Amino acid sequence: MSYVDEVYELVVEKNPAQPEFHQAVKEVLESLRVVIEANEEEYRKEALLERLTTPERVILFRVPWVDDKGQVQVNNGFRVQFNSAIGPYKGGLRFHPSVNLGIIKFLGFEQIFKNSLTSLPIGGGKGGSDFDPKGKSDREVMAFCQSFMTELYRHIGSDTDVPAGDIGVGGREIGYMYGQYKRIKDVYEGVLTGKGLTYGGSLARTEATGYGLLYLTREMLKSNGIDIAGKTIAISGAGNVAIYAAQKAIQMGAKVVTCSDSTGWIYDPEGIDVDLLKEVKEVKRARLTEYAAARKSAEYHEKKNGEHGVWTVKCDIALPCATQNELDLEDAKALVANGVTAVCEGANMPTTLDATKYLQDNKILFVCGKASNAGGVATSALEMSQNSERLSWTFEEVDKKLEQIMINIFHNIDDAAKKYGKEGDYVTGANIAGFLKVAEAMKAQGIV
Ligand code: NDP
Ligand code: 2IT
C-alpha cells in the first residue's frame, strides 16, 4: 500500500468518530500524493505524515460558569496546538454547540497549511467550546469567557500560541478573554488577535477575511480572463466573513443577491443592503427575518430539512461563508445547472469532497478555504507585528498588505498546481504549496 493510503487508514483508526478531521486529512493527503510518492521512502522513514497528522498537543478542559438564574453550567473547552514548525500556534476559537474534538482538529489541521500559505511565521492551532453565545446576556457571555480563559491562559502567550475569533467569537468575546488574561498574568501582550482598536487591535482585522476572499477571487478570475465587475454573487452566512465579503464584492462592482443564517436565508434580487445586514446581525444580533421585514425587495425563506437554500439561486460566483459541509453534491449540481463560473470558500471546508469533485469535473474554478480565507489569519499576523513593535498602522497600510498577500497566495497556488502537472487545480496547488514549507521546517528541526 502506498505511504499516503497507509497514513490515511491510520488516521481513521486512531481518531474514531471524527469524520470532519478524516475529511480534512483525506483532501490534503490526496493532493500531496504526487509529492510524497516521488520520495516515498524518505518521508516514510521520517514518519513525516504521521507527525503532520498528529497534534503536538491537545488540551481539554472544564469550563464552569453561573447563568443569570444562578444555575451552574458546564461546557467543554478545547485547544489543539497542531504544528509549530514555522511559528507560534495561531488560529481562532469557535463557540458553537456543535463543537467537539474532531471539529477542532479538522480546523487546526487546515490552519497549518493556511498559515503557511500566508508566508508569515505562524504555526497551526484552533480551539473553542460547545458554549452557545446565542440568547445569552452580556453578563453570561463575560462569565463564560472569564472561566474559559482562567484555564486557557497557562497554555498561550504572544510567542507560544495566539488565539483569535471564529464562529461565535467576535470583538465582544475577545475583549472579555483579553481582560481576564491580563488580570491573571499581569502582562500586556498581544496574546489574542481581533482585539478592539483601543487595546492593541489592528485596523482592517474585522474586514480582513471577507475582503481577502474577494481580493483572491478577483485575482483568480482575472488570471482566467474574467472581470468580477457586473457579476452576480451568491453568499451564504451572515456573520463576520459573509458581511465583509459582501461589502467588498459590491465595492468591486458585483451584485450580491443572497445571505443566510442558521434559521433561514434571504434572496434579494436588488442586491443585499450591507448596512442593513450589519445593523441586524452586528448590532441587534437578530435573525434575518428582521432584514426581510425592513426591506421590500427581500424574500425570506425558512430553512427546512433537505432544502438547498442559497445555492439554488442563479449566480456567476458562489462564496460559501457559513460553516463546514454546507455545500453538498446536490448544491454543486444546482450551481452548475445554473451556470456558475467560480466557487471560492470563505468558510473552512464548506464544500463536501464529492461536491468539490463535481465542481472540478465540470471545470468550475474552485479555490479551497485554506487559500481563499487566509486573509483573516494573515491580518492577525499583521496585528501581532504591530503589537511587537508597539505601533499601529493605518487602515490603508494594513489593507494594502492584505491585498498583496492574497494576490501572492493565488499566484503561489497557481504556480504549484502547474509545477506538479495539475494546472487549474487550486486545491492541489494550495495543499502542496502550504505543505512544502512546513515539511522543510519540520525536517530541518529534527525528530520533534
Ligand atoms: P460568525 O459567527 O460571525 O458567523 C457565522 C455565520 O454562519 C452566521 O450567519 C451563522 O448563523 C452561520 N452558521 C454558523 N454555523 C452554522 C450552522 N451549523 N448551520 C447554519 N448556519 C450556520 O462566524 P464567521 O463569519 O467568523 O465564520 C464563518 C466561517 O468562516 C467559519 O467556517 C469560520 O471557520 C470561517 N473563517 C472565519 C475567519 C474569521 O476571521 N472570522 C477566518 C477564516 C475562516 P447565525 O447568525 O444564525 O448564528
Ligand atoms: O479560520 C481562521 O483562519 C480564523 N478563524 C482566523 C484565525 C486567526 O488567528 O485570525
Side-chain angles (χ1 to χ4, degrees), residues 280-421:
V280 170
K281 283 291 170 184
E282 291 184 341
V283 182
K284 294 188 181 161
R285 296 179 188 274
R287 296 183 47 198
L288 285 174
T289 40
E290 296 219 7
Y291 177 95
R295 194 161 156 88
K296 271 208 178 70
S297 56
E299 283 171 24
Y300 177 77
H301 300 260
E302 198 73 36
K303 207 168 259 179
K304 298 187 202 92
N305 266 350
E307 199 220 283
H308 291 278
V310 299
W311 311 127
T312 55
V313 167
K314 190 168 171 52
C315 64
D316 304 306
I317 299 163
L319 304 175
C321 297
T323 192
Q324 64 273 359
N325 292 329
E326 53 156 319
L327 197 167
D328 65 16
L329 183 58
E330 289 308 306
D331 300 326
K333 287 182 178 168
L335 285 167
V336 171
N338 275 328
V340 79
T341 306
V343 178
C344 298
E345 297 184 327
N348 285 307
M349 210 171 72
T351 314
T352 60
L353 290 176
D354 54 358
T356 302
K357 183 169 185 315
Y358 186 84
L359 293 169
Q360 291 183 320
D361 287 349
N362 282 277
K363 304 278 176 272
I364 308 305
L365 301 167
F366 179 84
V367 186
C368 56
K370 59 173 77 72
S372 48
N373 73 34
V377 74
T379 307
S380 278
L382 301 179
E383 182 172 328
M384 290 165 70
S385 298
Q386 293 169 78
N387 291 163
S388 297
E389 62 176 16
R390 297 186 197 283
L391 291 173
S392 301
W393 306 338
T394 64
F395 187 96
E396 289 67 28
E397 273 177 280
V398 180
D399 190 37
K400 208 69 219 146
K401 286 186 165 65
L402 166 65
E403 184 179 1
Q404 197 53 54
I405 288 169
M406 299 313 295
I407 290 172
N408 292 348
I409 290 175
F410 171 69
H411 290 291
N412 190 9
I413 68 173
D414 188 33
D415 291 347
K418 285 178 182 151
K419 184 168 170 200
Y420 287 90

Side-chain angles (χ1 to χ4, degrees), residues 236-244 260 277 281-282 321:
S236 64
N240 175 264
V241 179
I243 288 172
Y244 293 96
S260 65
L277 186 62
K281 283 291 170 184
E282 291 184 341
C321 297

Side-chain angles (χ1 to χ4, degrees), residues 2 49 96 273 305 382 420 445:
S2 84
L49 294 183
H96 192 273
D273 177 342
N305 266 350
L382 301 179
Y420 287 90
Q445 291 170 33

Side-chain angles (χ1 to χ4, degrees), residues 34 415-425 428 432:
V34 34
D415 291 347
K418 285 178 182 151
K419 184 168 170 200
Y420 287 90
K422 302 265 185 180
E423 183 162 357
D425 177 351
T428 299
I432 291 179

